[in-house]
Amino acid sequence: MYQTFRDSFIRQIIYFASGRKLLQHPEERPGFVVPDKYRPREKQARSPNTASLSDAGADGVGPVEKRRPVDAGAGATAAAPGAGAAPGAAGRDVETQSTSRESEASDRTVVEGNAPLSEEDGNIVTWYGPDDPENPKNWSLLKKCWVTLAIMLMTSSVYMGSSIYSPAITQTMTYFGLGQVPATLGLSLFVVGYGVGPLFLAPITEIPAVGRTAPYIITLAIFCVLQVPTALVTNFAGFAILRFLAGFIGSPPLATGGASLQDIFSPHKLPYAMGLYGLSAASAPALAPIISGFATSTNNILLRRAQRLRRLTGNQNLRSHSEIQQGEMTGGEIVRMTLVRPFSMTFTEPIVLAINVYIGLIYAVLYSYFESFPIVYVEGYGWSLGVADLPFAALLVGSFISYTGFCLWNRFYFEPQFFKAQGKVKPETRLPMSMAGAFAFPICLFWFAWTANRTHWVSPLIASSFFGIGATWMFMPFLTYLPHAYPEFAASVLASNDFFRSMMGAGMPLVAVPMFGNLGIDWGNTLLGCLTVLFIPIPFVLFKYGPWLRARSPRSLHDEDIDNMPPDDAAVREHNADQVV
């Protein structure tokens, strides 16, 4: 429990306010023994055969400006001594050279013209060992669940902030003297805000010195404060601006939450957490500010460890890999990483574009589909406004049922493949459930279209549950596939996905009511169902041709990278421990 509290945002405030005297890290406590490799040592004699390495001193690590990152681990592989870069690393663009690594497996650097330096080299600060408790992947299951819950509740607070406005549209029309379409802007602008926000706020968390905690907590606090003027504003222009700002500033968990979960869970356990993250829109938002705020970024954790070791040992040459990379980044590269990359990846990576368009379509269809509910249940079945909201629960029921199925699939299909391959699985192994989910959307929409107000109300209600099934089986595989295929750019690809789906969904409330008014519930939902049919091939195409597309991308994980990865020993140990239990 202390370890859990020590990593929280509240602990960081107490720690710095006390001048680093309270709630100290292990390196700051009396009796801490500094590992030998981090202690200053005398320079050894220079050998004519090792001129470049001797320039580095006895530690074997040269000046910071001579170091450059090498693609390794999940993103690429390091070459053998003297062999240069592996084929999978060749041709990677400058972003790969300047980006913080998302995996601890990338904890290697090279000295120009020489072999890669391993984590044993003295001035490179990394984990103290495979069981280092500060490595998020070594956290206890209780702590991982605690952090997952915090991320879920933060996410729900933003998603609920959009839909909670819907029942008040009628009062907004009366209060501000507006028509229905302008009043609906209060919903659409919030969605636009949380679609645009991650493009600016989520990639900032990839900067090692920033990490994930500060963006989560600061933006969440501002999000809460913005609710006060939103409630008190007396003109619609101000109300609309505040709704946009609330969506914008509250957006980081919507995209970065998935990257945070990737930081702390092993690949074979990640789908369970991502599934819960996908269901988090149904969680109560009120508790999010209480328990939110944990540092999960390995780059940020190791950067802060290097800072502590420099103070403790006096060895100012100690650096983490992410610190070296950050020091080499120019202002222009930082702008590219935080602002340009999510856009560029959307339109230069076919995998990212295909998934963004598909999930964006589902998001747009969902918003349109919801607009048909009051027409069906209030006007058609004659229910009261309060009771007419209950059918929305059918989607939630479908989501929970499908999540159970997804967990079973992961346990009995994905995990055996993962351990058989010793962790070296292709990203496409995450996609099969999305193929089944693709058929759930047209089933729902066609069924609903031709039974609503024609049969007993339970029939369209059951039909609605299939949308929840489809959404779960579509979102969960895609949201684990993207960071697996682009491990070094997880926050960027998830931010671009959030932007794309939000932009496609934002305009639908404005057009859905006129569409159903002109076409009716039957043909309006039939039109939506036909759109979903057109996109059914996407998961099948990605499953078959995903490796081919990844091989031609300078940013994605290549199959040769996977083949040259070391076995995932940590995941194997975790699996063996589970088997013993």
Side-chain angles (χ1 to χ4, degrees), residues 17 29 32 114 130 188 192 254 311-312 361 448 472 490 492 512 550:
R29 297 176 191 163
F32 176 77
N114 292 280
S188 296
V192 170
L254 308 187
R311 290 195 301 269
L312 179 64
L361 169 75
F448 187 92
T472 302
S492 292
R550 287 187 289 105

Side-chain angles (χ1 to χ4, degrees), residues 244-255:
F244 170 80
L245 290 176
F248 181 94
I249 206 69
S251 62
L254 308 187

Side-chain angles (χ1 to χ4, degrees), residues 116-353:
L117 297 176
S118 73
E119 61 183 33
E120 298 301 322
D121 294 305
N123 286 340
I124 303 300
V125 177
T126 182
W127 307 120
Y128 292 146
D131 299 320
D132 191 330
E134 295 220 356
N135 184 340
K137 286 187 168 62
N138 290 333
W139 289 352
S140 68
L141 179 60
L142 177 62
K143 182 174 180 178
K144 290 180 179 181
C145 292
W146 185 261
V147 174
T148 302
L149 178 63
I151 294 171
M152 290 169 58
L153 294 179
M154 285 192 293
T155 302
S156 72
S157 68
V158 180
Y159 276 126
M160 295 281 288
S162 65
S163 59
I164 202 171
Y165 171 76
S166 298
I169 290 179
T170 302
Q171 289 109 321
T172 301
M173 295 167 59
T174 303
Y175 185 79
F176 292 114
L178 302 171
Q180 184 174 11
V181 172
T184 307
L185 286 173
L187 172 60
S188 296
L189 288 174
F190 190 99
V191 176
V192 170
Y194 72 59
V196 173
L199 296 177
F200 297 88
L201 301 176
I204 292 175
T205 66
E206 293 181 329
I207 299 176
V210 177
R212 308 210 193 277
T213 301
Y216 278 157
I217 295 300
I218 294 173
T219 57
L220 184 63
I222 298 174
F223 174 80
C224 293
V225 171
L226 283 173
Q227 307 314 307
V228 177
T230 304
L232 300 177
V233 69
T234 57
N235 63 85
F236 185 72
F239 176 81
I241 292 172
L242 288 168
R243 286 286 292 173
F244 170 80
L245 290 176
F248 181 94
I249 206 69
S251 62
L254 308 187
T256 314
S260 293
L261 295 178
Q262 185 190 27
D263 288 336
I264 64 178
F265 284 97
S266 301
H268 65 294
K269 298 297 184 183
L270 178 63
Y272 301 111
M274 289 293 283
L276 291 173
Y277 172 66
L279 295 174
S280 62
S283 301
L287 295 178
I290 299 175
I291 62 172
S292 61
F294 292 86
T296 65
S297 171
T298 58
N299 292 320
N300 179 261
I301 292 171
L302 290 175
L303 182 147
R304 291 187 285 117
R305 170 176 285 180
Q307 293 171 342
R308 295 193 300 271
L309 287 172
R310 286 198 294 270
R311 290 195 301 269
L312 179 64
T313 66
N315 183 0
Q316 298 304 312
N317 291 323
L318 293 176
R319 294 287 188 275
S320 67
H321 286 281
S322 60
E323 208 169 3
I324 295 169
Q325 295 159 15
Q326 179 177 305
E328 294 175 345
M329 292 171 64
T330 65
E333 288 171 340
I334 292 176
V335 170
R336 284 186 63 203
M337 185 178 77
T338 58
L339 300 180
V340 178
R341 185 193 299 153
F343 283 107
S344 67
M345 293 192 72
T346 297
F347 298 106
T348 61
E349 297 290 334
I351 291 175
V352 177
L353 180 62

Side-chain angles (χ1 to χ4, degrees), residues 95 102 198-199 202-203 206 254-256 258-259 262 337 341-346 349 351-353 355-356 359 478-501 555-556:
E95 289 185 20
E102 294 289 339
L199 296 177
E206 293 181 329
L254 308 187
T256 314
Q262 185 190 27
M337 185 178 77
R341 185 193 299 153
F343 283 107
S344 67
M345 293 192 72
T346 297
E349 297 290 334
I351 291 175
V352 177
L353 180 62
I355 291 177
N356 287 358
I359 292 185
F478 280 165
L479 291 181
T480 52
Y481 176 64
L482 282 174
H484 192 164
Y486 300 90
E488 299 174 15
F489 307 101
S492 292
V493 295
L494 293 175
S496 71
N497 182 267
D498 182 78
F499 170 77
F500 218 91
R501 70 175 186 256
R555 296 180 174 121
S556 68

Side-chain angles (χ1 to χ4, degrees), residues 9 19 58 60 87 101 185 188 213 257 272 301 331 343 368 402 404 427 445 516:
F9 187 71
R101 296 309 193 248
L185 286 173
S188 296
T213 301
Y272 301 111
I301 292 171
F343 283 107
S368 301
S402 57
T404 302
L445 293 166
F516 288 122

